[in-house]
Amino acid sequence: MEKIQMVDLKRQYQKIQDEIDNAVINTIRSTQFINGPEVKEFQKELEEFLGVKHVIPCANGTDALQVAMMASDLKPGDEVITTSFTFVATVEVIALLGLKPVLVDVYEDTFNMDIDSLRKAITPKTKAIVPVHLFGQCVNMEEIMKIADQNGLKVIEDNAQAIGADFIFSDGTRKKAGAIGNIGCTSFFPSKNLGCYGDGGAIFTNDDELAEKIRVVVNHGMTVRYYHDYIGVNSRLDSVQAAILRVKLRHLNEYAEARRKAADYYDNAFSKCEKLIVPKRSDFSTHVFHQYTLKTKDIDRNKLQEHLASKDIPAMIYYPVPMHIQEAYKSDRYKEGDLPVTEKLSKIVISLPMHTELDKEQQDYIIESVLEFFE
Ligand SMILES: *Cc1c(COP(=O)(O)O)cnc(C)c1O
């Protein structure tokens, strides 16, 4: 049996090696490393895939979030609402820009933003909402957009973990995650569902004016060469990464299918175990399983993680410490106990290996090893 990885990038590469090697070598031979044709082509192909008017590639997912906020006319002190149960980047960029992160709770079953918790957090100073489509499925975007409309708020989707997932509106229409709010952001970090072989990210919008501004912000705030109308940043996707992403985008649907198949197999095995709760799938979203995250009942999940490690099976805790109790983001606004669901989840979740190359032999071994812990 192949050694089990949390994400098996090597075996994924081996299956598409010829396509990737060709794309990389051709880009190197073109020597158009920055903003070359590969970047433009990738941009167009991603626009088509997502059904959005504009994709603006950038250097990573954190930059994508930062640039989205820089382009959204937010002023120091404005409140931006997001969830405490997320990766730090979401909260970090809000704080870096002098904005005020307001952290709300999530639903216990989907790990995504709790709509009541969001409603309660809105004040006259609130200017934006950042829903995070955690672990591969969408936040309830229909509700988010309604609330944003009623309160005049901007919506910036953190879609680093759910690229390719569909949101299904109550009338049956579908839109891609990240293509619903004013701006969507994603990351092409290697382990993400659409990962490159280094760092990368992108920003999406259907708003022509906003797109123009984002293009200026990622390029030093430069409208005409050497004339700077805004304070900007330097954030680019390089051409080699774009060439790799073009190849992988062609496989993205098939990759999502492989992840869902692996998730079904896990679900089937673990739903019989009283001490485990399998991840819920929302009816308003498809799931692309960036992570397969179990909740444990009445056990020490760290012991389960150690047990798996002793069997050479990696398992990860996403996320062990909620943002509102992190040293860097503590504030008078919160104390421990204020976001009870997030705090509970941080103690009981465990994510199992999930990737496009998991085979039956590996999954059987993982399942057997997990269940053995409870015997
Ligand atoms: C990975 C991730 C990011 C940041 O992406 P980078 O490309 O690593 O900067 C932001 N938000 C979430 C939810 C993520 O998972």
Side-chain angles (χ1 to χ4, degrees):
M1 184 174 66
E2 293 278 339
K3 185 169 162 43
I4 298 169
Q5 313 280 349
M6 210 52 206
V7 180
D8 196 336
L9 293 175
K10 191 179 254 176
R11 281 207 297 162
Q12 191 190 56
Y13 164 62
Q14 283 164 350
K15 282 199 186 152
I16 54 171
Q17 185 164 0
D18 290 346
E19 280 177 277
I20 294 277
D21 291 3
N22 275 328
V24 170
I25 204 73
N26 288 336
T27 310
I28 292 173
R29 285 180 180 147
S30 80
T31 67
Q32 294 191 286
F33 299 120
I34 300 293
N35 291 330
E38 292 295 330
V39 179
K40 307 250 157 37
E41 288 306 314
F42 172 61
Q43 172 193 323
K44 278 190 241 156
E45 288 160 7
L46 190 58
E47 282 164 358
E48 198 165 316
F49 177 85
L50 293 168
V52 287
K53 273 174 89 179
H54 306 279
V55 163
I56 301 99
C58 66
N60 56 68
T62 309
D63 275 9
L65 288 161
Q66 180 175 333
V67 167
M69 285 178 212
M70 288 172 78
S72 293
D73 295 325
L74 302 171
K75 292 178 193 57
D78 285 352
E79 294 177 0
V80 178
I81 301 176
T82 191
T83 36
S84 183
F85 196 59
T86 181
F87 178 61
V88 69
T90 328
V91 182
E92 179 178 80
V93 298
I94 299 171
L96 270 175
L97 294 173
L99 306 166
K100 196 155 196 177
V102 174
L103 303 171
V104 300
D105 219 344
V106 294
Y107 293 118
E108 190 165 337
D109 53 2
T110 59
F111 312 110
N112 274 332
M113 186 178 277
D114 179 317
I115 300 297
D116 281 332
S117 188
L118 162 65
R119 275 209 186 88
K120 285 190 194 123
I122 294 172
T123 74
K125 285 189 168 170
T126 308
K127 292 291 167 339
I129 309 169
V130 185
V132 184
H133 305 305
L134 204 73
F135 300 156
Q137 71 181 339
C138 297
V139 174
N140 189 340
M141 287 305 292
E142 195 159 354
E143 286 296 325
I144 299 272
M145 296 313 287
K146 234 186 269 169
I147 292 169
D149 243 20
Q150 286 160 355
N151 296 278
L153 309 177
K154 306 232 160 82
V155 176
I156 300 170
E157 293 173 73
D158 182 343
N159 192 31
Q161 300 191 4
I163 196 156
D166 285 335
F167 182 79
I168 307 157
F169 289 84
S170 42
D171 66 1
T173 56
R174 288 173 177 238
K175 276 190 189 171
K176 289 280 179 217
I180 302 162
N182 303 81
I183 307 183
C185 298
T186 203
S187 162
F188 305 124
F189 187 80
S191 63
K192 300 282 155 99
N193 288 37
L194 179 60
C196 60
Y197 292 179
D199 272 308
I203 306 156
F204 344 125
T205 184
N206 284 308
D207 180 327
D208 299 341
E209 233 176 276
L210 206 44
E212 213 27 63
K213 184 152 182 202
I214 291 166
R215 283 195 193 98
V216 171
V217 173
V218 293
N219 187 28
H220 300 291
M222 188 157 76
T223 37
V224 174
R225 187 169 276 242
Y226 306 126
Y227 288 79
H228 306 274
D229 290 358
Y230 310 103
I231 297 175
V233 294
N234 170 25
S235 190
R236 295 183 285 242
L237 179 72
D238 71 69
S239 304
V240 172
Q241 298 306 336
I244 291 164
L245 286 165
R246 288 186 70 196
V247 173
K248 290 190 66 179
L249 182 58
R250 294 200 282 272
H251 293 277
L252 188 58
N253 284 334
E254 144 209 336
Y255 286 161
E257 210 36 60
R259 286 172 179 273
R260 268 193 292 269
K261 204 171 143 218
D264 289 345
Y265 200 69
Y266 277 146
D267 273 6
N268 185 50
F270 297 135
S271 42
K272 290 170 229 144
C273 179
E274 277 171 19
K275 302 276 183 192
L276 295 173
I277 303 168
V278 301
K280 167 168 167 135
R281 307 182 191 197
S282 305
D283 20 343
F284 51 71
S285 176
T286 62
H287 204 320
V288 293
F289 287 99
H290 177 59
Q291 299 298 344
Y292 184 86
T293 304
L294 290 167
K295 283 177 294 193
T296 57
K297 269 197 271 189
D298 314 319
I299 64 152
D300 180 348
R301 69 79 214 270
N302 294 348
K303 290 259 158 53
L304 173 58
Q305 188 184 28
E306 283 161 26
H307 167 77
L308 294 174
S310 76
K311 308 235 141 196
D312 232 5
I313 299 169
M316 300 286 284
I317 309 303
Y318 303 118
Y319 296 93
V321 183
M323 289 304 132
H324 70 285
I325 42 188
Q326 293 280 355
E327 198 53 43
Y329 298 102
K330 274 199 266 190
S331 100
D332 297 343
R333 194 184 274 272
Y334 322 97
K335 54 183 186 321
E336 223 168 316
D338 283 351
L339 302 178
V341 176
T342 296
E343 290 168 35
K344 177 177 175 190
L345 287 173
S346 68
K347 296 183 185 97
I348 62 169
V349 289
I350 184 164
S351 297
L352 297 182
M354 170 51 75
H355 54 78
T356 57
E357 312 306 315
L358 266 182
D359 58 45
K360 186 168 175 299
E361 189 189 10
Q362 290 177 317
Q363 272 200 294
D364 284 337
Y365 176 68
I366 296 166
I367 289 165
E368 183 191 295
S369 304
V370 168
L371 294 177
E372 184 185 86
F373 176 78
F374 298 101
E375 278 163 12

